[in-house]
Structure formats: C-alpha cells, structure tokens
Amino acid sequence: MCRSIVYSFLLILLSLGFCKGQEVEMAYAYFSQGEYEKAAEIYKKLSEDKKYANLIHNEYVATLMKLRDFTSAERFIKQQVSRFGTTLTYQADLAEVYEASGKKDLAAKEFEKIIEQAAGTDNKFFEVYNFFYRNQKLEWIVKLILKDREVSKIPFKYDNVLARTYNVLNQKDKMVEEAMGFGKRQNNPDYVKSAIQDSFVTEEEIKYIEDLLFQKIQNEPNETFYTDLLVWWFAQKGDFPRAFTQARAMDKRLNLGGAKIFELAYQSYISKDYKSAARMYQYIMDEYPDSDLYPYARTWMIKSKEELVKTTFPIEEEAIRDLIAQYQKMIQELGHNIKTSEAMRNMALLQAFYLHDYTEAVSTLETAVNTVHGNPKFRDQCKLDMGDIYLLRDEPWESTLLYMQVEKSQKEDNLGELARLKNAKLQYYTGQFELSRDILDVLKKATSKEISNDAMQLSLLIEDNTGLDTSEVALERFSRADLLIFQNKYQQGLDTLSVLWKDYKSHALADEILWLRANTLLKVNKIEEAIKDLEILVSEFHQDILADDALYLLARVTEENLKDKEKAMSLYRKVLTDYPGSVFSAQSRVRFRELRGDYIN
C-alpha cells in the first residue's frame, strides 16, 4: 500500500516536470517567432518556480524588454537577485533595465556597484566582463579593468584586452600605450606593429607615434624595444634616413657589429632608396673593416650606387666606367672568391647593357662561374645574364635556350620563375603573344610577389590588346619598340614610339606608349619632352593604372632636374592626396618632408 502511494506520487511529480518542460519549449518557440505577449504569459508563470526561473531568466528578461514592460522586468530581476545574490550578471541585467527605462543615473550607480564587487576576483571579473562584452558596454569594460588594476595593485593587468577595447572606442592614444606595454612585457614587437601599422595613417597620427617613441627612448635609453620599433616605423613608412639615424645610434651603443644596419640597408635597397642604402653599407665598411660583413657591404654599396646612376637621368658613360673601376678594385683587393662573385656579375651587366662590350661581359661571367665551383644556383643566375646579353645582340633563340635550361634546373626555386618570366617577355618581344600569355598565366601564382605582379601586368597588357575583336598590329609595333629600348637602342625606340603615338592616340595602348616614351626621353636627357608626356598622362589619363606612376615621376623630375622645390612639393602632396593607396605614397611623404626642411640626419 505504502509502496503504491509513493509510486503514484513520483508519477505525479514526473508528469508535472514534463508539463513544465513543454511550457519552457512552447515559451521559447513564441519568443523565437517574435510573439512576445504569448511568451511573457508562460514565462511569468514559470518564473514563480525558483528552479525554472534560473532556466528562463535571459529569455524572459529579453521578452519583457521587447515589450518595454520595465516594471515587470525590474520586479522579476530583483526577485532573482534576492534568490541568487552572488550572480552579478543578474544585477547587471537590473542596471540594463534602468538604462532602457531612462533611469540613467540609477543604471550607472548599479554598474559601479557591480564593478566594485567584481574587481580583484578573477571569476567575478570575467563574469561581468563577458556581460559588458556581449552588450557592447565598452566604456564599462574600461572602468572594470582600471578598477581591477587598482584593487589587485597590478598596473598592467589585462593590458592587451584594454588595448583592443580602446581601439574599438577609437581612443588611439590610450590604445597604443597599452599595446606597447603588453608588447614590451611579452617581448612581442609584432603585437605592437600590428596594432599601430594601419591605425595611424594621417600626418598628425604619424607624428604622434614618432613623438611617443622618442619620448619612451628618452625615458628608457637602455631599453632597445622602443628603438627597434622606431626603426621599423620609419622603415615601413619609407623614411630610411631617419631609420638609419636610430639604428646607427643603437649599433654604436650596444656594439651590434652592424648586423641590424645590414638588414635595414637591404630593406632600403629593395624599397629603391638607393641613396640611403649606400650610406648604410658605407657605414658598415667604415666601422667594421675586418668583419665578415665587409665584402658583402662593399659589394652592395657599389650596387646601390650603380642603381642611383641607372635611375638618375641621363645615364652618363663616365659614371658607368667609374662603377666598373670600383668593382675591379674591390675584386683586385679581395680576390676572386665567393664573396666577390656578385660583384663580377654586376660588373658584367654594366659592361653589356651600358658599354655594349658583350665579349668582355661574357668573359667576366665565365670567370665568376669558374670562381664559384659547385654552386648551381649562381651558375644559373649567370646563365640568365648571358641570355639577356644574347637578346641584346639580337640572338633570341640563344636567349630562350638558356632561359629554358634554368627553368628546368631551378623549377623549385624563384630563379626558375624568373627564367619563365624572362622567356615570357622574350615571346612578347618577338610577337608570340599567345605563347607569352600561357607562360604568364602560370606565373601569376608565382611565390615571388614581384614576379607575380610583373606577370599580371604584362598579361593584362597582352589581353587588352589581342583577341577576336582587336588587331594585334599595334601591340606588335609596341613590343618591337619595347625590345629596342631594352637593347638600349633609344633613338630607334623613340622614333617608333612617336609614330605609334600619332597613329594610336585613342587606342587602349595610348597611356603605355606615353609612359614608355617619357621614361626613354629621360634616359637620353630630353627632359622637357619627357615632362610633356608625363603631364598628358597626369591630366588625360588620371584614372588609368599608370597615373600615380606618372605623377610621382613628374615630381621627381621637377625636384631633381628642374630644381623647382615648391612645384615638386605640390606634386608630392598630390600623390598623397589623390592616390593615398599608391606604392609611391611612402617615398612621396619622405621627399616632401625633405623638401619642407624637416630634420633628417
């Protein structure tokens, strides 16, 4: 009998629980469908049971907020607080209700009280932090962290979290302070770099970062973290003169042997700031003449000067001969060995491209290859150089044979990709556009970004000027002019381009014709004619792909050849304002600052 009664009682309890479970599901279905009145009616009934009140808490509060029934919401949450006083998020929900109903002061007091209770206790901190985060209460996250720091007496606690929060709030000055603090403690400069690289872009913001880093270096002169950051900052902005100033000071102070400056010099070189690169390599030569870096620094110093000569128009034969003499002197002093092999290569290319002494150039390359035994990559680099020399001599079949040999032997290396690119250009020069494009389509996925970009540009040029609806005559004539200029047959190339411009002013090739002609005119010292072509590109083709290239080159010519400082500054400023995403933005900013008279040591 007793057992029967107990069994019956259990069945009743189970059925009641099952019914309430169904009610929870039904209420949630109404809530999900936006039928808040029906949901509220069921939730109100369930809220009277302490066990179910906890389960439905979030949905019931959300339902009442949707209905703007703030009185019922306040009553229910207060009941929950009295039941579960240690659950701080219920108190936070109450503050939310106050805020939504217009009781801002009351809400702020409640949030302050919650922060006081949470600060200093990790589990309570994260409970409240997660509530603020879910509800996008970013200002309150800041107050929570600062209060926790005060209570725990740990001034840098949660600095990476606070940095992210300040960033979202667009409080960049506070963000960068927290980011630098975290980066320094964790020895993680990459964290700081990612935090500031894309966030500080205007002139005022850039100056702010520089001033801040200078101040930190002054306050902690023996701390290299901030100096490293400042060197990186200047370098990624293209301001290599100032980067060198900081790197040189650190090198001397810490006796680093020039290693970091050697790295910075290479960055400067690949960024085409050859003047700064040459200064840095010269510094290594002067300060560390007995180091292992010396022969490499000397080679790259001459190479940097070489690029300066080759990119300063007109190119003077005397300057080329002087560079060759510097290479020869270096090789004579240091001998024929692996450390001078690159110098021999560079010298051979100068002999071929600028003095047209092909026999001597090939002889120099052969000496270089024989010097470096057992180095197939260097041998293949020299093969590519010989291929270029054969192309200069109008022997394209010999060139393509050498390119294909390197492509086969270096197929897993960037050198193999470079060989394919050279072969694609050769096919383009000789009018084999379809074959050239097939090679270029593969190279678009090259591991080298530079090769990939070159492949895409040439492929686009061919694609835009060939096909069923386009005659290939214009591109054939243009590619022949391009080859003539590669071979340094400038006058023949210019004559061809002038006829092309006359015939194809309205053609898709028009801007390419002007761009190639302007650059070639500069090489033969016809500055005024080059400026006219550049000005046409800037004014009539300002939305085309070469517009920023033309504007930057016009600014350089105005600065270096015309010596018109004010006009050059105006043109550099125009690059920054009209083409802020241009690859020339960094150098334009540096050159503008130099002309303005900003301090650059």
Side-chain angles (χ1 to χ4, degrees), residues 156-298:
F156 52 79
K157 198 173 180 183
Y158 306 122
D159 44 8
N160 60 330
V161 178
L162 190 53
R164 289 198 300 271
T165 308
Y166 280 138
N167 190 43
V168 177
L169 289 169
N170 201 32
Q171 296 180 21
K172 295 183 180 181
D173 53 341
K174 294 179 180 178
M175 179 275 284
V176 75
E177 284 284 1
E178 296 295 334
M180 285 186 183
F182 176 79
K184 180 188 168 189
R185 282 194 308 105
Q186 300 292 329
N187 192 25
N188 186 355
D190 289 341
Y191 176 84
V192 184
K193 291 173 185 178
S194 64
I196 67 177
Q197 185 163 17
D198 298 322
S199 299
F200 294 78
V201 293
T202 67
E203 285 291 328
E204 294 77 14
E205 289 170 344
I206 290 169
K207 187 176 185 306
Y208 173 79
I209 289 293
E210 292 169 5
D211 290 346
L212 177 64
L213 286 169
F214 275 124
Q215 185 62 52
K216 288 188 176 296
I217 291 168
Q218 187 176 354
N219 292 342
E220 301 180 64
N222 295 322
E223 175 57 63
T224 62
F225 184 81
Y226 299 119
T227 305
D228 275 333
L229 272 180
L230 187 57
V231 169
W232 165 82
W233 177 259
F234 284 141
Q236 62 101 29
K237 294 297 178 189
D239 198 342
F240 288 99
R242 296 173 81 189
F244 175 43
T245 298
Q246 296 303 314
R248 181 177 57 196
M250 186 165 61
D251 182 75
K252 288 184 174 181
R253 187 170 71 249
L254 302 176
N255 194 24
L256 298 177
K260 284 186 176 293
I261 290 180
F262 191 82
E263 293 174 9
L264 183 64
Y266 183 68
Q267 280 184 263
S268 182
Y269 180 88
I270 62 174
S271 298
K272 299 184 179 180
D273 186 350
Y274 305 119
K275 182 179 178 182
S276 295
R279 285 182 64 209
M280 291 183 230
Y281 289 126
Q282 186 66 58
Y283 167 83
I284 295 169
M285 291 165 57
D286 293 341
E287 294 293 321
Y288 306 103
D290 299 321
S291 75
D292 290 340
L293 285 177
Y294 177 85
Y296 301 106
R298 187 167 176 180

Side-chain angles (χ1 to χ4, degrees), residues 279-344:
R279 285 182 64 209
M280 291 183 230
Y281 289 126
Q282 186 66 58
Y283 167 83
I284 295 169
M285 291 165 57
D286 293 341
E287 294 293 321
Y288 306 103
D290 299 321
S291 75
D292 290 340
L293 285 177
Y294 177 85
Y296 301 106
R298 187 167 176 180
T299 298
W300 281 94
M301 188 274 290
I302 302 171
K303 190 169 176 60
S304 299
K305 288 185 175 181
E306 176 185 329
E307 291 302 323
L308 271 175
V309 169
K310 286 155 60 176
T311 54
T312 303
F313 306 116
I315 300 170
E316 298 177 359
E317 184 177 314
E318 184 181 344
I320 298 295
R321 292 190 182 279
D322 179 62
L323 287 168
I324 291 172
Q326 290 184 53
Y327 279 129
Q328 288 172 332
K329 183 181 179 184
M330 174 187 166
I331 294 164
Q332 185 179 3
E333 290 178 6
L334 301 178
H336 290 81
N337 54 58
I338 192 170
K339 294 179 180 180
T340 58
S341 57
E342 282 296 330
M344 285 184 265

Side-chain angles (χ1 to χ4, degrees), residues 351-368:
Q351 290 165 337
F353 276 86
Y354 296 95
L355 302 185
H356 311 294
D357 191 346
Y358 307 129
T359 304
E360 187 63 28
V362 170
S363 174
T364 303
L365 286 173
E366 288 172 347
T367 302

